[in-house]
Amino acid sequence: NYTFAANETALPYLNTATVGGRTIGFAYASFLLGAVDIANIAAVSNPRLGKSQWAIFAQDTWKVTRKLTFDYGLRWDYGTYQREQYGRFPSFSSTTPNPSAGGHLGGVIFEGNGPGLCNCSFAKNYPYAIGPRLGMAFQINSKTVLRAGWGISYSITPTNNQISGSASSQNPIVNPVFGEAAMTLGTGIPRTAQQIAWPSYSAGLYPLAGSTSIANFPTFLVDQNSGRPARQVMWSIGLQRELAQNLVVEASYVGNRGAWWQANLLVDYNALTPQILAANGLDLNNAADRTLLLLPLNQQTRFKSPYTGFPAGATVAQSLRPYPQFLNVPATWAPLGDTWYDSLQAKVTKRLSHGFDFTYTFTWQKELTLGAEADPPGPGAPPGSVNDVFNRSQNKSLSGYSRPFVGVLAANYTVPKWGGNKALSWGLRDWQIGVALQYASGLPIHVPYAQNNLNTLLLRNLPLGITALSYANRIPDQALFTKDINCHCFDPNSTFILNPSAWQDPAPGQWGNSAPYYNDYRYERRPNESMSLGRLFRIRERASISIRAEFSNIFNRAEMSNPSGTNAKLLQTASGGKNTAGFGWINTATVAAQPRQGTIVARFTF
C-alpha cells in the first residue's frame, strides 16, 4: 500500500505543505515523481484470540413450614483472560529495553514459551468467583408476605476484538523527514522491509525505526488482573400485600455494591506525575515552568534528549514522560471500577379481570460510580468521568446513567363481546390494546471541561477526543440554566439554555474541584410512550390470522436535541436571528427522538 502526499512536492524548508490556508504541494505530482510518503507491507498473518468461560451451579428450595420457604444456591464461575493462542499478541513491558528508542525502557513482549517469547503469562485467571445466593419468603398473614434475598454474582471475563489488529503484521516505511520520500517507485521497496515476516518477536517493533515523530503505542498493556471478573453483591427486602381481589401492592429496598469493573482510564502509564515534575524541579504554579514544558526540546538548554534519536522538535513535557518514545500506552482490562446502588422500588399489580390488567412500578434510586464508566461501550453512553487519575478516590461521583425517579405503566385491555348485532360484535370483540408508558428524570449533563490546557502540560489520556481532563469549577449561587429545561416555554432557536456564568476555569496548572455530574444539572426529561393493538382471528382449528400494530412516540412529542455543554467558554453566536453555536446551544436541525412511527404486521398460520 502506497500513500502519496503533497509534502514531497512542497517546500521542504517550510516544514509544511500549507501556507496561508492554501496547499503548495500536490500529491498527484508526488505520484508522478514516484515519491512515496508512506509505504506499508502487511505480511500474511493469522492471529487467533480466544478465551474460555465455565460455570456450575446448584440450587434448592426448602419449605420449612407452610408459611416459611427458603431458596438457596451456590454458583461458581471461571473465565480465562483473552489471549492469542500461540502467544503472538504483543503487550507493553515497562522493564524491556527498546532498541528502536536507543535502549530506553518500554518495549513489547510476547507471552508463551519458545524463542523470542517471555516464557510468562500476561495475566492471571481468577479461580475464586464463588457466588452464594439466598432467598426467603414468609407469609405474615393471608394477605401479606415478607420477601428478602441476598447473593453474589460475577460477570464474564472481558473481551476486546479491537486488540486483534495489534497482533497482525503492519510494517510501514515512513519518510525520515518532511519532504523526503520514504522510498521511490523506481528503486523499489527497501530490502529490510521485504524481509520482515509475521510474527516478529522484536522488542523494538514500536516506534517505527527511523521515524522522527512520536506516535501512539499501537498495542495495549494487558493488565495483570485481566482474568478477574467483576463482582456484584446484591440484596433486597420487601413487603407484598393484597389490598383487594386481584390488586396487589409491594415495596422493596434493593441495593448492590459492585467491584472490579473495567476502568482503563483510572490508570495512565505514560503521564507526567507530580513526582516526575518535582524530581525535575518543575512547579505547575510557576508560569515559567509551564512555558518551559511546552517548548520544543531544541529551543531550550535545561533538559537533554532522553535517548539518541529522540525527535528534537518534541516538547520538554514529552521528553520527561516515563516512556518518551510514545504518546500513550493504553491499558486494557484494568479491573479498578466500583459501583454503588440503593433504591426504593414500589409496584402495583392489577391482575386480569373484566378484560383489564396493569402494572405500575415506581423507582427512587441513587447510582454512584468510581471509574466504571470511563470507557463507554458505544454511541449514546455518557462520557468518561475521570478527573485526576493520580487522585483516584476523588473520582467517585454520580453515575452518568443516573435517573433518580423512574415510573413505568404497562396496561392491557381486551375488548369483550358485544350484545345485539352479531356481525358488529364479531368485528369489535377480542381486540387487545396495550400501552407502555415510561416517565423518568433526565440524564445528568457532564460538567464542562476546564480550558486551562492542563492536559497539554501533563499529557494525560484523552477520553473521547476531549483536550482537557479537568473540570470547570461550579460557581455557587449561579443558576445552571437560563430557563427551566423541561418547561416547554422557550424557543431553542433564540435561547441558550445553559448558563456559562455558572462555571469558571481553575487557575493555570490546577485541577478543578467540581464533580463530573450534579443531581440538579440534567438534560430534558424524555418520556417513552408506546402502544399496541392486535387480534387473533381463528378461521378453523388449524388455521388463523393475527394482526398487530405497534406504535412508538404515540403522542408525537417533539424532543429537542441535547444542548452543547462541554466548553463553558465556547462563544455563543447567532445568525439571521437563529442561534448557530456556543455553550448551551440546541441544534434545531436535529431531534433526539423520531416522530410517531408505527408498524403493522399480519401473519397467517396454518
Side-chain angles (χ1 to χ4, degrees), residues 280-303:
N280 287 279
L282 296 169
D283 184 358
L284 288 181
N285 294 315
N286 186 318
D289 287 350
R290 294 196 300 270
T291 301
L292 178 61
L293 282 170
L294 299 180
L295 281 177
L297 201 61
N298 56 6
Q299 293 183 20
Q300 55 82 51
T301 58
R302 181 173 170 182
F303 294 98

mmCIF file with all atom_site columns, all heavy atoms in Angstrom, residues 280-303:
data_model
loop_
_atom_site.group_PDB
_atom_site.id
_atom_site.type_symbol
_atom_site.label_atom_id
_atom_site.label_alt_id
_atom_site.label_comp_id
_atom_site.label_asym_id
_atom_site.label_entity_id
_atom_site.label_seq_id
_atom_site.pdbx_PDB_ins_code
_atom_site.Cartn_x
_atom_site.Cartn_y
_atom_site.Cartn_z
_atom_site.occupancy
_atom_site.B_iso_or_equiv
_atom_site.pdbx_formal_charge
_atom_site.auth_seq_id
_atom_site.auth_comp_id
_atom_site.auth_asym_id
_atom_site.auth_atom_id
_atom_site.pdbx_PDB_model_num
ATOM 1   N N   . ASN A 1 280 ? 12.308 16.932 38.689 1.00 0.00 ? 280 ASN A N   1
ATOM 2   C CA  . ASN A 1 280 ? 12.978 17.759 37.686 1.00 0.00 ? 280 ASN A CA  1
ATOM 3   C C   . ASN A 1 280 ? 12.899 19.248 38.008 1.00 0.00 ? 280 ASN A C   1
ATOM 4   O O   . ASN A 1 280 ? 13.183 20.084 37.145 1.00 0.00 ? 280 ASN A O   1
ATOM 5   C CB  . ASN A 1 280 ? 12.363 17.510 36.311 1.00 0.00 ? 280 ASN A CB  1
ATOM 6   C CG  . ASN A 1 280 ? 12.755 16.170 35.730 1.00 0.00 ? 280 ASN A CG  1
ATOM 7   O OD1 . ASN A 1 280 ? 13.835 16.011 35.163 1.00 0.00 ? 280 ASN A OD1 1
ATOM 8   N ND2 . ASN A 1 280 ? 11.889 15.171 35.896 1.00 0.00 ? 280 ASN A ND2 1
ATOM 9   N N   . GLY A 1 281 ? 12.508 19.565 39.239 1.00 0.00 ? 281 GLY A N   1
ATOM 10  C CA  . GLY A 1 281 ? 12.483 20.949 39.692 1.00 0.00 ? 281 GLY A CA  1
ATOM 11  C C   . GLY A 1 281 ? 11.433 21.801 39.017 1.00 0.00 ? 281 GLY A C   1
ATOM 12  O O   . GLY A 1 281 ? 11.638 23.005 38.830 1.00 0.00 ? 281 GLY A O   1
ATOM 13  N N   . LEU A 1 282 ? 10.293 21.204 38.647 1.00 0.00 ? 282 LEU A N   1
ATOM 14  C CA  . LEU A 1 282 ? 9.239  21.931 37.965 1.00 0.00 ? 282 LEU A CA  1
ATOM 15  C C   . LEU A 1 282 ? 8.018  22.078 38.857 1.00 0.00 ? 282 LEU A C   1
ATOM 16  O O   . LEU A 1 282 ? 7.678  21.165 39.623 1.00 0.00 ? 282 LEU A O   1
ATOM 17  C CB  . LEU A 1 282 ? 8.845  21.209 36.679 1.00 0.00 ? 282 LEU A CB  1
ATOM 18  C CG  . LEU A 1 282 ? 9.933  21.110 35.599 1.00 0.00 ? 282 LEU A CG  1
ATOM 19  C CD1 . LEU A 1 282 ? 9.510  20.148 34.507 1.00 0.00 ? 282 LEU A CD1 1
ATOM 20  C CD2 . LEU A 1 282 ? 10.239 22.490 35.023 1.00 0.00 ? 282 LEU A CD2 1
ATOM 21  N N   . ASP A 1 283 ? 7.365  23.227 38.759 1.00 0.00 ? 283 ASP A N   1
ATOM 22  C CA  . ASP A 1 283 ? 6.189  23.522 39.573 1.00 0.00 ? 283 ASP A CA  1
ATOM 23  C C   . ASP A 1 283 ? 5.108  24.088 38.651 1.00 0.00 ? 283 ASP A C   1
ATOM 24  O O   . ASP A 1 283 ? 5.321  25.111 37.990 1.00 0.00 ? 283 ASP A O   1
ATOM 25  C CB  . ASP A 1 283 ? 6.541  24.537 40.661 1.00 0.00 ? 283 ASP A CB  1
ATOM 26  C CG  . ASP A 1 283 ? 5.366  24.814 41.593 1.00 0.00 ? 283 ASP A CG  1
ATOM 27  O OD1 . ASP A 1 283 ? 4.276  24.245 41.373 1.00 0.00 ? 283 ASP A OD1 1
ATOM 28  O OD2 . ASP A 1 283 ? 5.534  25.604 42.542 1.00 0.00 ? 283 ASP A OD2 1
ATOM 29  N N   . LEU A 1 284 ? 3.945  23.431 38.605 1.00 0.00 ? 284 LEU A N   1
ATOM 30  C CA  . LEU A 1 284 ? 2.867  23.895 37.728 1.00 0.00 ? 284 LEU A CA  1
ATOM 31  C C   . LEU A 1 284 ? 2.309  25.249 38.141 1.00 0.00 ? 284 LEU A C   1
ATOM 32  O O   . LEU A 1 284 ? 1.625  25.907 37.353 1.00 0.00 ? 284 LEU A O   1
ATOM 33  C CB  . LEU A 1 284 ? 1.737  22.860 37.691 1.00 0.00 ? 284 LEU A CB  1
ATOM 34  C CG  . LEU A 1 284 ? 2.022  21.567 36.930 1.00 0.00 ? 284 LEU A CG  1
ATOM 35  C CD1 . LEU A 1 284 ? 0.817  20.651 36.965 1.00 0.00 ? 284 LEU A CD1 1
ATOM 36  C CD2 . LEU A 1 284 ? 2.402  21.862 35.490 1.00 0.00 ? 284 LEU A CD2 1
ATOM 37  N N   . ASN A 1 285 ? 2.575  25.682 39.374 1.00 0.00 ? 285 ASN A N   1
ATOM 38  C CA  . ASN A 1 285 ? 2.128  27.004 39.798 1.00 0.00 ? 285 ASN A CA  1
ATOM 39  C C   . ASN A 1 285 ? 3.032  28.114 39.270 1.00 0.00 ? 285 ASN A C   1
ATOM 40  O O   . ASN A 1 285 ? 2.710  29.291 39.403 1.00 0.00 ? 285 ASN A O   1
ATOM 41  C CB  . ASN A 1 285 ? 2.075  27.076 41.328 1.00 0.00 ? 285 ASN A CB  1
ATOM 42  C CG  . ASN A 1 285 ? 1.019  26.149 41.906 1.00 0.00 ? 285 ASN A CG  1
ATOM 43  O OD1 . ASN A 1 285 ? -0.098 26.094 41.403 1.00 0.00 ? 285 ASN A OD1 1
ATOM 44  N ND2 . ASN A 1 285 ? 1.369  25.409 42.944 1.00 0.00 ? 285 ASN A ND2 1
ATOM 45  N N   . ASN A 1 286 ? 4.163  27.719 38.674 1.00 0.00 ? 286 ASN A N   1
ATOM 46  C CA  . ASN A 1 286 ? 5.123  28.674 38.151 1.00 0.00 ? 286 ASN A CA  1
ATOM 47  C C   . ASN A 1 286 ? 4.887  28.850 36.654 1.00 0.00 ? 286 ASN A C   1
ATOM 48  O O   . ASN A 1 286 ? 4.982  27.890 35.880 1.00 0.00 ? 286 ASN A O   1
ATOM 49  C CB  . ASN A 1 286 ? 6.553  28.170 38.412 1.00 0.00 ? 286 ASN A CB  1
ATOM 50  C CG  . ASN A 1 286 ? 7.600  29.187 38.024 1.00 0.00 ? 286 ASN A CG  1
ATOM 51  O OD1 . ASN A 1 286 ? 7.512  29.839 36.997 1.00 0.00 ? 286 ASN A OD1 1
ATOM 52  N ND2 . ASN A 1 286 ? 8.626  29.316 38.868 1.00 0.00 ? 286 ASN A ND2 1
ATOM 53  N N   . ALA A 1 287 ? 4.571  30.063 36.220 1.00 0.00 ? 287 ALA A N   1
ATOM 54  C CA  . ALA A 1 287 ? 4.264  30.312 34.814 1.00 0.00 ? 287 ALA A CA  1
ATOM 55  C C   . ALA A 1 287 ? 5.450  29.990 33.912 1.00 0.00 ? 287 ALA A C   1
ATOM 56  O O   . ALA A 1 287 ? 5.282  29.485 32.793 1.00 0.00 ? 287 ALA A O   1
ATOM 57  C CB  . ALA A 1 287 ? 3.836  31.767 34.622 1.00 0.00 ? 287 ALA A CB  1
ATOM 58  N N   . ALA A 1 288 ? 6.674  30.276 34.386 1.00 0.00 ? 288 ALA A N   1
ATOM 59  C CA  . ALA A 1 288 ? 7.860  29.990 33.580 1.00 0.00 ? 288 ALA A CA  1
ATOM 60  C C   . ALA A 1 288 ? 8.031  28.489 33.361 1.00 0.00 ? 288 ALA A C   1
ATOM 61  O O   . ALA A 1 288 ? 8.415  28.045 32.262 1.00 0.00 ? 288 ALA A O   1
ATOM 62  C CB  . ALA A 1 288 ? 9.106  30.571 34.254 1.00 0.00 ? 288 ALA A CB  1
ATOM 63  N N   . ASP A 1 289 ? 7.720  27.694 34.376 1.00 0.00 ? 289 ASP A N   1
ATOM 64  C CA  . ASP A 1 289 ? 7.826  26.235 34.227 1.00 0.00 ? 289 ASP A CA  1
ATOM 65  C C   . ASP A 1 289 ? 6.762  25.706 33.278 1.00 0.00 ? 289 ASP A C   1
ATOM 66  O O   . ASP A 1 289 ? 7.007  24.773 32.508 1.00 0.00 ? 289 ASP A O   1
ATOM 67  C CB  . ASP A 1 289 ? 7.702  25.562 35.592 1.00 0.00 ? 289 ASP A CB  1
ATOM 68  C CG  . ASP A 1 289 ? 8.946  25.753 36.453 1.00 0.00 ? 289 ASP A CG  1
ATOM 69  O OD1 . ASP A 1 289 ? 9.963  26.246 35.914 1.00 0.00 ? 289 ASP A OD1 1
ATOM 70  O OD2 . ASP A 1 289 ? 8.903  25.408 37.651 1.00 0.00 ? 289 ASP A OD2 1
ATOM 71  N N   . ARG A 1 290 ? 5.579  26.289 33.319 1.00 0.00 ? 290 ARG A N   1
ATOM 72  C CA  . ARG A 1 290 ? 4.532  25.859 32.392 1.00 0.00 ? 290 ARG A CA  1
ATOM 73  C C   . ARG A 1 290 ? 4.934  26.172 30.952 1.00 0.00 ? 290 ARG A C   1
ATOM 74  O O   . ARG A 1 290 ? 4.701  25.373 30.034 1.00 0.00 ? 290 ARG A O   1
ATOM 75  C CB  . ARG A 1 290 ? 3.202  26.536 32.731 1.00 0.00 ? 290 ARG A CB  1
ATOM 76  C CG  . ARG A 1 290 ? 2.616  26.132 34.075 1.00 0.00 ? 290 ARG A CG  1
ATOM 77  C CD  . ARG A 1 290 ? 1.145  26.522 34.173 1.00 0.00 ? 290 ARG A CD  1
ATOM 78  N NE  . ARG A 1 290 ? 0.932  27.953 34.037 1.00 0.00 ? 290 ARG A NE  1
ATOM 79  C CZ  . ARG A 1 290 ? 0.926  28.820 35.033 1.00 0.00 ? 290 ARG A CZ  1
ATOM 80  N NH1 . ARG A 1 290 ? 1.153  28.381 36.267 1.00 0.00 ? 290 ARG A NH1 1
ATOM 81  N NH2 . ARG A 1 290 ? 0.709  30.097 34.820 1.00 0.00 ? 290 ARG A NH2 1
ATOM 82  N N   . THR A 1 291 ? 5.545  27.326 30.738 1.00 0.00 ? 291 THR A N   1
ATOM 83  C CA  . THR A 1 291 ? 6.018  27.675 29.399 1.00 0.00 ? 291 THR A CA  1
ATOM 84  C C   . THR A 1 291 ? 7.124  26.729 28.946 1.00 0.00 ? 291 THR A C   1
ATOM 85  O O   . THR A 1 291 ? 7.159  26.288 27.794 1.00 0.00 ? 291 THR A O   1
ATOM 86  C CB  . THR A 1 291 ? 6.523  29.128 29.388 1.00 0.00 ? 291 THR A CB  1
ATOM 87  O OG1 . THR A 1 291 ? 5.458  30.005 29.780 1.00 0.00 ? 291 THR A OG1 1
ATOM 88  C CG2 . THR A 1 291 ? 7.016  29.518 28.002 1.00 0.00 ? 291 THR A CG2 1
ATOM 89  N N   . LEU A 1 292 ? 8.026  26.402 29.868 1.00 0.00 ? 292 LEU A N   1
ATOM 90  C CA  . LEU A 1 292 ? 9.145  25.519 29.538 1.00 0.00 ? 292 LEU A CA  1
ATOM 91  C C   . LEU A 1 292 ? 8.658  24.141 29.112 1.00 0.00 ? 292 LEU A C   1
ATOM 92  O O   . LEU A 1 292 ? 9.188  23.541 28.171 1.00 0.00 ? 292 LEU A O   1
ATOM 93  C CB  . LEU A 1 292 ? 10.078 25.401 30.747 1.00 0.00 ? 292 LEU A CB  1
ATOM 94  C CG  . LEU A 1 292 ? 11.296 24.478 30.596 1.00 0.00 ? 292 LEU A CG  1
ATOM 95  C CD1 . LEU A 1 292 ? 12.199 24.959 29.469 1.00 0.00 ? 292 LEU A CD1 1
ATOM 96  C CD2 . LEU A 1 292 ? 12.068 24.391 31.908 1.00 0.00 ? 292 LEU A CD2 1
ATOM 97  N N   . LEU A 1 293 ? 7.639  23.612 29.770 1.00 0.00 ? 293 LEU A N   1
ATOM 98  C CA  . LEU A 1 293 ? 7.134  22.284 29.434 1.00 0.00 ? 293 LEU A CA  1
ATOM 99  C C   . LEU A 1 293 ? 6.625  22.212 27.997 1.00 0.00 ? 293 LEU A C   1
ATOM 100 O O   . LEU A 1 293 ? 6.695  21.152 27.362 1.00 0.00 ? 293 LEU A O   1
ATOM 101 C CB  . LEU A 1 293 ? 6.003  21.897 30.395 1.00 0.00 ? 293 LEU A CB  1
ATOM 102 C CG  . LEU A 1 293 ? 6.418  21.423 31.788 1.00 0.00 ? 293 LEU A CG  1
ATOM 103 C CD1 . LEU A 1 293 ? 5.198  21.325 32.699 1.00 0.00 ? 293 LEU A CD1 1
ATOM 104 C CD2 . LEU A 1 293 ? 7.125  20.076 31.712 1.00 0.00 ? 293 LEU A CD2 1
ATOM 105 N N   . LEU A 1 294 ? 6.137  23.332 27.466 1.00 0.00 ? 294 LEU A N   1
ATOM 106 C CA  . LEU A 1 294 ? 5.565  23.330 26.127 1.00 0.00 ? 294 LEU A CA  1
ATOM 107 C C   . LEU A 1 294 ? 6.571  23.670 25.039 1.00 0.00 ? 294 LEU A C   1
ATOM 108 O O   . LEU A 1 294 ? 6.256  23.602 23.853 1.00 0.00 ? 294 LEU A O   1
ATOM 109 C CB  . LEU A 1 294 ? 4.396  24.321 26.068 1.00 0.00 ? 294 LEU A CB  1
ATOM 110 C CG  . LEU A 1 294 ? 3.227  24.033 27.017 1.00 0.00 ? 294 LEU A CG  1
ATOM 111 C CD1 . LEU A 1 294 ? 2.143  25.087 26.874 1.00 0.00 ? 294 LEU A CD1 1
ATOM 112 C CD2 . LEU A 1 294 ? 2.643  22.650 26.765 1.00 0.00 ? 294 LEU A CD2 1
ATOM 113 N N   . LEU A 1 295 ? 7.809  24.023 25.422 1.00 0.00 ? 295 LEU A N   1
ATOM 114 C CA  . LEU A 1 295 ? 8.824  24.367 24.441 1.00 0.00 ? 295 LEU A CA  1
ATOM 115 C C   . LEU A 1 295 ? 9.361  23.118 23.748 1.00 0.00 ? 295 LEU A C   1
ATOM 116 O O   . LEU A 1 295 ? 9.494  22.063 24.356 1.00 0.00 ? 295 LEU A O   1
ATOM 117 C CB  . LEU A 1 295 ? 9.991  25.089 25.117 1.00 0.00 ? 295 LEU A CB  1
ATOM 118 C CG  . LEU A 1 295 ? 9.826  26.562 25.456 1.00 0.00 ? 295 LEU A CG  1
ATOM 119 C CD1 . LEU A 1 295 ? 11.068 27.065 26.174 1.00 0.00 ? 295 LEU A CD1 1
ATOM 120 C CD2 . LEU A 1 295 ? 9.558  27.390 24.197 1.00 0.00 ? 295 LEU A CD2 1
ATOM 121 N N   . PRO A 1 296 ? 9.694  23.208 22.436 1.00 0.00 ? 296 PRO A N   1
ATOM 122 C CA  . PRO A 1 296 ? 10.418 22.109 21.797 1.00 0.00 ? 296 PRO A CA  1
ATOM 123 C C   . PRO A 1 296 ? 11.765 21.905 22.476 1.00 0.00 ? 296 PRO A C   1
ATOM 124 O O   . PRO A 1 296 ? 12.388 22.865 22.959 1.00 0.00 ? 296 PRO A O   1
ATOM 125 C CB  . PRO A 1 296 ? 10.583 22.588 20.353 1.00 0.00 ? 296 PRO A CB  1
ATOM 126 C CG  . PRO A 1 296 ? 9.502  23.603 20.158 1.00 0.00 ? 296 PRO A CG  1
ATOM 127 C CD  . PRO A 1 296 ? 9.335  24.274 21.484 1.00 0.00 ? 296 PRO A CD  1
ATOM 128 N N   . LEU A 1 297 ? 12.220 20.679 22.506 1.00 0.00 ? 297 LEU A N   1
ATOM 129 C CA  . LEU A 1 297 ? 13.452 20.348 23.214 1.00 0.00 ? 297 LEU A CA  1
ATOM 130 C C   . LEU A 1 297 ? 14.644 21.127 22.660 1.00 0.00 ? 297 LEU A C   1
ATOM 131 O O   . LEU A 1 297 ? 15.561 21.491 23.412 1.00 0.00 ? 297 LEU A O   1
ATOM 132 C CB  . LEU A 1 297 ? 13.702 18.838 23.116 1.00 0.00 ? 297 LEU A CB  1
ATOM 133 C CG  . LEU A 1 297 ? 14.624 18.209 24.160 1.00 0.00 ? 297 LEU A CG  1
ATOM 134 C CD1 . LEU A 1 297 ? 14.070 18.392 25.554 1.00 0.00 ? 297 LEU A CD1 1
ATOM 135 C CD2 . LEU A 1 297 ? 14.804 16.721 23.860 1.00 0.00 ? 297 LEU A CD2 1
ATOM 136 N N   . ASN A 1 298 ? 14.644 21.403 21.350 1.00 0.00 ? 298 ASN A N   1
ATOM 137 C CA  . ASN A 1 298 ? 15.794 22.082 20.742 1.00 0.00 ? 298 ASN A CA  1
ATOM 138 C C   . ASN A 1 298 ? 15.738 23.600 20.886 1.00 0.00 ? 298 ASN A C   1
ATOM 139 O O   . ASN A 1 298 ? 16.572 24.305 20.321 1.00 0.00 ? 298 ASN A O   1
ATOM 140 C CB  . ASN A 1 298 ? 15.925 21.703 19.265 1.00 0.00 ? 298 ASN A CB  1
ATOM 141 C CG  . ASN A 1 298 ? 14.652 22.004 18.482 1.00 0.00 ? 298 ASN A CG  1
ATOM 142 O OD1 . ASN A 1 298 ? 13.703 22.588 19.009 1.00 0.00 ? 298 ASN A OD1 1
ATOM 143 N ND2 . ASN A 1 298 ? 14.639 21.588 17.223 1.00 0.00 ? 298 ASN A ND2 1
ATOM 144 N N   . GLN A 1 299 ? 14.734 24.119 21.630 1.00 0.00 ? 299 GLN A N   1
ATOM 145 C CA  . GLN A 1 299 ? 14.647 25.557 21.849 1.00 0.00 ? 299 GLN A CA  1
ATOM 146 C C   . GLN A 1 299 ? 14.913 25.941 23.290 1.00 0.00 ? 299 GLN A C   1
ATOM 147 O O   . GLN A 1 299 ? 14.559 27.036 23.730 1.00 0.00 ? 299 GLN A O   1
ATOM 148 C CB  . GLN A 1 299 ? 13.275 26.062 21.405 1.00 0.00 ? 299 GLN A CB  1
ATOM 149 C CG  . GLN A 1 299 ? 13.037 25.960 19.912 1.00 0.00 ? 299 GLN A CG  1
ATOM 150 C CD  . GLN A 1 299 ? 11.708 26.540 19.491 1.00 0.00 ? 299 GLN A CD  1
ATOM 151 O OE1 . GLN A 1 299 ? 11.102 27.345 20.217 1.00 0.00 ? 299 GLN A OE1 1
ATOM 152 N NE2 . GLN A 1 299 ? 11.239 26.155 18.300 1.00 0.00 ? 299 GLN A NE2 1
ATOM 153 N N   . GLN A 1 300 ? 15.533 25.045 24.056 1.00 0.00 ? 300 GLN A N   1
ATOM 154 C CA  . GLN A 1 300 ? 15.905 25.319 25.447 1.00 0.00 ? 300 GLN A CA  1
ATOM 155 C C   . GLN A 1 300 ? 17.175 24.527 25.766 1.00 0.00 ? 300 GLN A C   1
ATOM 156 O O   . GLN A 1 300 ? 17.592 23.647 25.006 1.00 0.00 ? 300 GLN A O   1
ATOM 157 C CB  . GLN A 1 300 ? 14.761 24.968 26.403 1.00 0.00 ? 300 GLN A CB  1
ATOM 158 C CG  . GLN A 1 300 ? 14.253 23.542 26.278 1.00 0.00 ? 300 GLN A CG  1
ATOM 159 C CD  . GLN A 1 300 ? 15.092 22.545 27.038 1.00 0.00 ? 300 GLN A CD  1
ATOM 160 O OE1 . GLN A 1 300 ? 15.368 22.725 28.212 1.00 0.00 ? 300 GLN A OE1 1
ATOM 161 N NE2 . GLN A 1 300 ? 15.539 21.496 26.343 1.00 0.00 ? 300 GLN A NE2 1
ATOM 162 N N   . THR A 1 301 ? 17.797 24.846 26.871 1.00 0.00 ? 301 THR A N   1
ATOM 163 C CA  . THR A 1 301 ? 19.077 24.199 27.235 1.00 0.00 ? 301 THR A CA  1
ATOM 164 C C   . THR A 1 301 ? 19.034 23.486 28.570 1.00 0.00 ? 301 THR A C   1
ATOM 165 O O   . THR A 1 301 ? 19.998 22.838 28.954 1.00 0.00 ? 301 THR A O   1
ATOM 166 C CB  . THR A 1 301 ? 20.186 25.262 27.279 1.00 0.00 ? 301 THR A CB  1
ATOM 167 O OG1 . THR A 1 301 ? 19.826 26.291 28.225 1.00 0.00 ? 301 THR A OG1 1
ATOM 168 C CG2 . THR A 1 301 ? 20.394 25.890 25.900 1.00 0.00 ? 301 THR A CG2 1
ATOM 169 N N   . ARG A 1 302 ? 17.916 23.567 29.269 1.00 0.00 ? 302 ARG A N   1
ATOM 170 C CA  . ARG A 1 302 ? 17.848 22.992 30.624 1.00 0.00 ? 302 ARG A CA  1
ATOM 171 C C   . ARG A 1 302 ? 17.748 21.472 30.597 1.00 0.00 ? 302 ARG A C   1
ATOM 172 O O   . ARG A 1 302 ? 18.334 20.785 31.429 1.00 0.00 ? 302 ARG A O   1
ATOM 173 C CB  . ARG A 1 302 ? 16.659 23.598 31.367 1.00 0.00 ? 302 ARG A CB  1
ATOM 174 C CG  . ARG A 1 302 ? 16.494 23.089 32.792 1.00 0.00 ? 302 ARG A CG  1
ATOM 175 C CD  . ARG A 1 302 ? 15.405 23.860 33.504 1.00 0.00 ? 302 ARG A CD  1
ATOM 176 N NE  . ARG A 1 302 ? 15.044 23.261 34.775 1.00 0.00 ? 302 ARG A NE  1
ATOM 177 C CZ  . ARG A 1 302 ? 14.083 23.726 35.577 1.00 0.00 ? 302 ARG A CZ  1
ATOM 178 N NH1 . ARG A 1 302 ? 13.407 24.823 35.232 1.00 0.00 ? 302 ARG A NH1 1
ATOM 179 N NH2 . ARG A 1 302 ? 13.802 23.112 36.716 1.00 0.00 ? 302 ARG A NH2 1
ATOM 180 N N   . PHE A 1 303 ? 17.002 20.905 29.628 1.00 0.00 ? 303 PHE A N   1
ATOM 181 C CA  . PHE A 1 303 ? 16.785 19.459 29.584 1.00 0.00 ? 303 PHE A CA  1
ATOM 182 C C   . PHE A 1 303 ? 17.395 18.869 28.316 1.00 0.00 ? 303 PHE A C   1
ATOM 183 O O   . PHE A 1 303 ? 17.400 19.498 27.254 1.00 0.00 ? 303 PHE A O   1
ATOM 184 C CB  . PHE A 1 303 ? 15.284 19.141 29.637 1.00 0.00 ? 303 PHE A CB  1
ATOM 185 C CG  . PHE A 1 303 ? 14.632 19.528 30.941 1.00 0.00 ? 303 PHE A CG  1
ATOM 186 C CD1 . PHE A 1 303 ? 13.933 20.720 31.045 1.00 0.00 ? 303 PHE A CD1 1
ATOM 187 C CD2 . PHE A 1 303 ? 14.752 18.714 32.056 1.00 0.00 ? 303 PHE A CD2 1
ATOM 188 C CE1 . PHE A 1 303 ? 13.339 21.085 32.248 1.00 0.00 ? 303 PHE A CE1 1
ATOM 189 C CE2 . PHE A 1 303 ? 14.157 19.074 33.260 1.00 0.00 ? 303 PHE A CE2 1
ATOM 190 C CZ  . PHE A 1 303 ? 13.464 20.264 33.354 1.00 0.00 ? 303 PHE A CZ  1
#
